Amino acid sequence: MTKRPALSLRVTAATLMCLSGLGQIAMLWLRELTLTTVADGLLGTVYLVIGIGLFGHSRFSLFLGIIVPVTACGMLLYLRPQPDQMDTLRMAADVSVALLCTNVLWQVRHHPSV
């Protein structure tokens, strides 16, 4: 198996994670400044750090790319049972990043040369 598919999936996950983080930080200027908004901004910062890590070669960033978005998605569903369109888009990005990172981690674990 070649390195190209895993690298392409990893870069896609990293780009999506960084865009999601930037979007969450940008929402600080578009919404009323509350504790929830600030928490979303801090989560966006965590997403940016993980996204930058995904551009590298670490497996730890792949684990974080799975665990953090799935946890954030679960907490969002728990706190807001009726999500609006922006929350739905955010959850779709979180699930996509987690699936991409899972696929790359699977490839790296079963094909060490990838």
Side-chain angles (χ1 to χ4, degrees):
M1 187 168 237
T2 63
K3 288 184 178 184
R4 187 64 60 199
L7 180 64
S8 174
L9 292 175
R10 190 174 187 126
V11 168
T12 304
T15 304
L16 191 58
M17 190 84 156
C18 286
L19 287 175
S20 179
L22 282 173
Q24 290 176 22
I25 292 171
M27 290 304 286
L28 287 171
W29 284 272
L30 300 176
R31 295 192 308 193
E32 183 180 338
L33 197 59
T34 62
L35 185 60
T36 305
T37 308
V38 173
D40 286 344
L42 289 174
L43 185 63
T45 305
V46 171
Y47 273 39
L48 277 177
V49 171
I50 294 171
I52 291 169
L54 284 172
F55 281 114
H57 298 287
S58 173
R59 289 184 186 179
F60 181 67
S61 61
L62 288 172
F63 283 115
L64 288 178
I66 296 167
I67 294 169
V68 172
V70 169
T71 305
C73 187
M75 288 299 295
L76 188 63
L77 280 174
Y78 178 73
L79 295 175
R80 299 181 198 153
Q82 296 295 327
D84 59 359
Q85 290 179 346
M86 291 303 291
D87 291 338
T88 304
L89 181 64
R90 180 175 155 190
M91 287 187 292
D94 286 348
V95 170
S96 298
V97 167
L99 289 175
L100 287 169
C101 288
T102 302
N103 191 351
V104 173
L105 186 64
W106 179 269
Q107 290 180 13
V108 168
R109 298 280 296 165
H110 292 286
H111 303 285
S113 62
V114 172

